[in-house]
Amino acid sequence: MAASAVERRHIHVDGVVQGVGFRPFIYGLAVRHRLTGWVLNSSSGVDITVEGPPTALDSFQRAITAEAPPLARIDRVTATLLPRDGEPFTTFSIRHSATDAGASLIAPDVATCPDCLAEILNPADRRYRYPFTNCTNCGPRYTIIEAMPYDRPMTTMRAFAMCPACQAEYDDPLNRRFHAQPNACPVCGPRLRLIAPADTPADLLAGCPDDIARAAALLRAGYILAIKGLGGYHLACDATSAEAVARLRQRKARPDKPFAVMLESLEAVRRRCVVNADEAALLSAVSAPIVLLYTRPDSDIAPNVAPDNPMLGVMLPYTPLHHLLLRDAGIPLVMTSGNLSDMPVIKDDDEALEKLAPIADAFLLHNRPIHMRCDDAVWWVDRFAGEGDAALQPLRRSRGDAPYPIRLPWAAPRQILATGAEMKNTLCLLRGQDAFLSQHIGEVDSLEALAYFREALDHLRRIFKVQPETIAHDLHPGYLTTRLARELAAAWDVPRVEVQHHHAHIAACLAEHGRDEPVIGLALDGTGYGPDGAIWGGEVLAADLQGYERLAHLEYLPLPGGEAAIRRPYRIAWGYLWETGGNIPHLPTLSHLNPQEQTIVIQQVSRRLNSPLTSSAGRLFDAVSALLGLCPVTTFEAQAAIALELAARGVDLARIIPYAFTLDDSIIRVGGLLESVVRDVDAGRPIGEIAAAFHLTLAEMFAAATEQARSQTGLGTVVLSGGVFQNRLFLRLMREALRRRGFAVLSHRQVPANDGGLSLGQAAVALHTSPG
């Protein structure tokens, strides 16, 4: 080959390109195109130096993107022509990883691939029934990585030296386990350990070949097991046994909140739930989230798995251990987070043995450490999504999603930390165009949760090489995340940006759509601190990523007893009725409640004693739910609102007429609405019809307020955000009402509408705001 017919190029690939089989893919491409050179992982991605004829190099470069491995996410491919100094390359090789100043992206944990599943089910395979089987196409990533680059010594697998057979796979560029960092087998890898009760009947475990089979036997017999998984522990029991589920509820002090269920296969899901094509694809995705589905009337799932709820959170097995356990047990399993109420999911064995002992009868442990805890993600499918709407909706962005970044169209000139909200917390690190949202952290209202927040923050900062130069946080002065933001800003000597809660909601939706123009924002949720000191939550804003103006809101009404009222919605109903009408009518739905407490509520409201004012749409749902007798007392967040939505299910909306309401300048009055609800309850109108009329009326209320906002601002695009838009019926009605009036509507698609997306909005506002 003539020297002039050969070029040498350096190619750098950015994106999720480590731990996904990218280097062997490049090796195979180079061999196919008869090119020479090398490829390696660096801290900032994958680097390739390659030489050959220009036409072959062009084809090679195009194929990098066109034929990338299924788990890879390529953001950029940049090529530079190099001088051909020194000796020409004679082969193409894969070199050891290099460390540089950049930072690469990494993949989340990935569900077991078909090839690995076939191996663990094949009695002739050396990995038969091995629960830690994986390859470059599946297995743990985020939860075992301690630092970058992604090499075995930088993971919790460094303690497991590979046997000759595994090492040969690891070293073979054409093997799917080439440089699969968690690669292992029964000879050299992690192992399970079952701790069963001392009084377990011997015949119960007789004939079981291994700990997985023994654990399955215990589950079939009604035992509750704590099972160590990818990102933490699950508590598991027989999902068809009402008795086993009741024991789990009693021990976990979780009387009503639905449990998630794991089923063996998609066919097993279809037998128990209604599943459309989008839901089937989501269940079968490599992220393997929990998906909310409607159950079939003849399902064998115990009713107390999801009490008084036609929906079920379902996931498929996503580790070899899950696949084997579900097959051996032969029953659906409850799989709920292994934690105490509102505490972070437990990941360490000692902590699990101590804290879960009062709940679990037995423990299925393993000796592969979990570095970063990560709870299961939760998604749902919007069956009424219109053109331009996202059918797939996240409720909790976590395992399988994190740490994939949200790619923004703006490059941040400085690195930003956003600390998120107090509830459903995630944090966000903004570097360049990448917004790295953490996994779901949960309620940051305890020292344990704050410690988890710090763990996640330190982990993400380390693996993505981020040193925040600005910190964004909520306005609420009492949030632990606000206090931490102040502490970190002082320690790092960086400025802070305070972002109002509902502005952050609208900004999050704008950011994920890559939009920065002014819009009308409907921010509807339960709680958000307003700059006037009141609790906001039913807001019509004119907003962009730099600021907002409050154009209208639900009228301020009192919460008698403050936080206590949220757990007892009948107190909200009483307080609202007294404030708007001056009396509390006798209703059969609330007749069983203590009249003395009603007197106390009246005194609290009249004298403004421990009765903070709120404009919350979420609290209005709670009040109406209580008035209808659906949920006068709650044991988990949004329980009353969920009951109200479900009550309206199946009602023919075409027959329902909205209640009258009043838009008093910038105040949306609800007294007439409440009066109409009371009248209908007293008249014995079907509860489902009243619930449907409430939903329709609320949508019409905010549509009218949005029309008024358009006349004030000239804006024609509306952003929908806040936890109320997790209500499927209300989201549908709100979009329809706005589009009938000619508005363009944006809703969430990459981050949750609830507070789980708030940190993205905070970061976007901080990016577009000069820090103070």
Side-chain angles (χ1 to χ4, degrees):
M1 183 184 298
S4 60
V6 173
E7 286 183 3
R8 179 178 294 182
R9 297 180 191 176
H10 176 77
I11 300 173
H12 181 78
V13 187
D14 284 316
V16 180
V17 289
Q18 295 193 25
V20 295
F22 205 81
R23 287 178 297 169
F25 159 69
I26 292 297
Y27 177 91
L29 276 187
V31 170
R32 193 176 88 204
H33 288 85
R34 299 184 179 182
L35 303 173
T36 58
W38 52 262
V39 60
L40 60 76
N41 278 345
S42 68
S43 299
S44 56
V46 166
D47 284 294
I48 308 161
T49 293
V50 62
E51 65 180 26
T55 53
L57 290 172
D58 292 342
S59 297
F60 170 81
Q61 197 169 322
R62 286 192 297 270
I64 290 174
T65 301
E67 303 176 25
L71 298 184
R73 291 193 179 184
I74 295 176
D75 292 331
R76 285 177 299 271
V77 178
T78 56
T80 306
L81 189 63
L82 296 177
R84 295 190 65 230
D85 298 332
E87 293 295 318
F89 298 116
T90 58
T91 61
F92 194 89
S93 63
I94 298 176
R95 293 187 175 180
H96 291 296
S97 299
T99 301
D100 60 26
S104 180
L105 305 181
I106 58 175
D109 297 342
V110 179
T112 305
C113 71
D115 289 333
C116 286
L117 180 60
E119 289 175 340
I120 65 171
L121 299 179
N122 180 4
D125 194 279
R126 74 186 189 94
R127 289 188 172 86
Y128 176 59
R129 292 185 65 82
Y130 183 58
F132 304 98
T133 300
N134 66 87
C135 69
T136 55
N137 297 321
C138 67
R141 300 289 192 277
Y142 179 62
T143 54
I144 65 170
I145 293 172
E146 296 178 356
M148 294 293 280
Y150 176 54
D151 286 323
R152 196 177 183 103
M154 301 292 195
T155 74
T156 61
M157 283 297 295
R158 63 177 173 274
F160 301 95
M162 284 181 280
C163 66
C166 285
Q167 189 68 53
E169 294 169 331
Y170 184 90
D171 292 336
D172 181 359
L174 299 181
N175 191 289
R176 80 174 199 279
R177 292 193 168 94
F178 176 74
H179 281 223
Q181 305 307 334
N183 188 29
C185 74
V187 174
C188 63
R191 299 187 178 186
L192 289 175
R193 176 168 64 106
L194 178 69
I195 301 177
D199 59 354
T200 304
D203 60 343
L204 180 62
L205 304 182
C208 295
D210 54 28
D211 280 344
I212 299 175
R214 286 184 277 274
L218 292 173
L219 288 164
R220 285 196 304 273
Y223 287 67
I224 297 169
L225 265 67
I227 301 172
K228 187 177 182 181
L230 272 184
Y233 275 80
H234 281 116
L235 289 166
C237 73
D238 178 0
T240 67
S241 168
E243 182 183 355
V245 174
R247 282 200 312 275
L248 178 56
R249 288 199 173 281
Q250 187 272 326
R251 294 179 187 178
K252 203 171 190 282
R254 184 168 161 169
D256 302 304
K257 189 175 182 180
F259 287 135
V261 171
M262 183 176 282
L263 297 174
E264 177 184 342
S265 64
L266 186 56
E267 292 70 27
V269 178
R270 291 187 192 278
R271 288 197 298 271
R272 297 170 173 91
C273 300
V274 178
V275 184
N276 70 14
D278 285 332
E279 289 160 342
L282 195 51
L283 284 164
S284 305
V286 295
S287 55
I290 296 169
V291 181
L292 297 187
L293 304 171
Y294 284 107
T295 53
R296 295 186 181 279
D298 58 349
S299 170
D300 61 349
I301 302 297
N304 57 343
V305 169
D308 302 316
N309 195 324
M311 302 197 73
L312 191 64
V314 179
M315 59 182 156
L316 293 177
Y318 56 84
T319 72
L321 171 60
H322 293 147
H323 281 285
L324 295 168
L325 188 64
L326 266 292
R327 279 170 166 77
D328 286 1
I331 51 176
L333 296 178
V334 166
M335 282 281 189
T336 190
S337 299
N339 61 353
L340 304 181
S341 181
D342 292 330
M343 291 288 121
V345 62
I346 292 171
K347 70 179 180 70
D348 296 322
D349 298 344
D350 291 344
E351 184 183 7
L353 291 168
E354 174 192 352
K355 293 184 177 178
L356 298 182
I359 303 174
D361 300 308
F363 289 80
L364 187 58
L365 317 175
H366 61 73
N367 61 342
R368 183 178 69 199
I370 298 170
H371 180 68
M372 181 47 53
R373 71 189 88 205
C374 194
D375 223 329
D376 295 314
V378 184
W379 287 68
W380 63 281
V381 173
D382 181 0
R383 293 185 173 215
F384 293 98
E387 185 178 351
D389 298 325
L392 309 186
Q393 296 278 330
L395 286 176
R396 186 167 79 190
R397 193 176 182 274
S398 203
R399 176 196 50 76
D401 301 319
Y404 276 147
I406 307 296
R407 176 52 63 93
L408 304 179
W410 321 285
R414 59 190 185 280
Q415 297 180 344
I416 296 170
L417 161 65
T419 59
E422 181 177 63
M423 300 184 69
K424 294 181 172 57
N425 179 269
T426 62
L427 65 94
C428 179
L429 289 173
L430 184 55
R431 185 200 70 194
Q433 291 180 261
D434 291 324
F436 299 101
L437 268 71
S438 71
Q439 68 274 27
H440 169 79
I441 294 173
E443 291 22 282
V444 185
D445 57 1
S446 65
L447 293 179
E448 293 87 347
L450 187 61
Y452 178 23
F453 181 100
R454 287 180 176 272
E455 286 175 13
L457 172 59
D458 291 344
H459 185 56
L460 289 167
R461 284 182 58 214
R462 182 169 56 253
I463 62 177
F464 294 126
K465 297 184 178 180
V466 174
Q467 177 53 53
E469 299 163 276
T470 300
I471 299 179
H473 61 87
D474 195 271
L475 276 182
H476 198 301
Y479 282 178
L480 291 181
T481 51
T482 300
R483 297 177 189 178
L484 179 61
R486 289 172 174 160
E487 174 190 322
L488 293 176
W492 295 338
D493 191 24
V494 298
R496 294 181 292 112
V497 175
E498 293 183 333
V499 185
Q500 199 279 327
H501 188 94
H502 300 95
H503 182 206
H505 268 305
I506 302 306
C509 191
L510 280 172
E512 66 171 285
H513 283 270
R515 308 277 284 270
D516 60 2
E517 74 271 21
V519 296
I520 298 170
L522 297 187
L524 310 184
D525 62 3
T527 300
Y529 187 78
D532 59 357
I535 302 169
W536 289 16
E539 311 306 314
V540 182
L541 309 177
D544 58 19
L545 296 181
Q546 293 181 306
Y548 73 96
E549 178 186 358
R550 192 186 199 192
L551 301 178
H553 60 87
L554 288 175
E555 66 176 296
Y556 281 140
L557 293 171
L559 281 180
E563 288 289 325
I566 298 174
R567 295 185 292 275
R568 289 180 278 177
Y570 64 87
R571 293 178 65 97
I572 304 176
W574 283 343
Y576 280 17
L577 289 173
W578 184 261
E579 182 74 9
T580 59
N583 69 88
I584 302 177
H586 176 78
L587 288 175
T589 51
L590 297 178
S591 61
H592 62 289
L593 297 171
N594 185 351
Q596 185 178 358
E597 187 175 6
Q598 186 177 109
T599 302
I600 294 172
V601 167
I602 292 172
Q603 291 175 344
Q604 286 181 314
V605 172
S606 300
R607 300 176 185 177
R608 290 293 187 262
L609 297 174
N610 190 24
S611 296
L613 295 176
T614 181
S615 61
S616 166
R619 299 292 81 85
L620 183 58
F621 272 87
D622 292 346
V624 173
S625 184
L627 289 174
L628 301 190
L630 294 169
C631 191
V633 177
T634 67
T635 62
F636 66 91
E637 189 212 356
Q639 183 178 2
I642 291 170
L644 188 60
E645 177 190 0
L646 294 175
R649 182 173 178 248
V651 174
D652 182 2
L653 296 176
R655 295 176 45 249
I656 303 299
I657 300 173
Y659 296 126
F661 62 89
T662 303
L663 181 57
D664 184 4
D665 194 16
S666 64
I667 307 300
I668 306 170
R669 301 291 180 186
V670 301
L673 167 61
L674 293 173
E675 183 181 347
S676 298
V677 169
V678 167
R679 185 172 57 249
D680 276 355
V681 171
D682 203 38
R685 186 182 185 187
I687 296 299
E689 291 186 11
I690 304 173
F694 168 77
H695 281 80
L696 273 170
T697 305
L698 198 65
E700 289 299 315
M701 279 181 167
F702 279 100
T706 305
E707 279 196 296
Q708 178 177 281
R710 176 168 57 187
S711 68
Q712 295 173 260
T713 64
L715 299 173
T717 298
V718 182
V719 167
L720 308 180
S721 190
V724 168
F725 289 109
Q726 294 174 160
N727 180 318
R728 300 179 183 210
L729 174 59
F730 183 69
L731 175 62
R732 169 191 166 191
L733 293 175
M734 194 73 253
R735 282 194 303 224
E736 290 175 352
L738 291 169
R739 285 175 175 153
R740 282 197 305 270
R741 292 163 169 83
F743 287 101
V745 180
L746 298 179
S747 55
H748 286 277
R749 58 186 182 186
Q750 296 187 73
V751 300
N754 62 42
D755 285 1
L758 210 73
S759 61
L760 175 63
Q762 292 173 345
V765 171
L767 170 61
H768 288 78
T769 304
S770 298

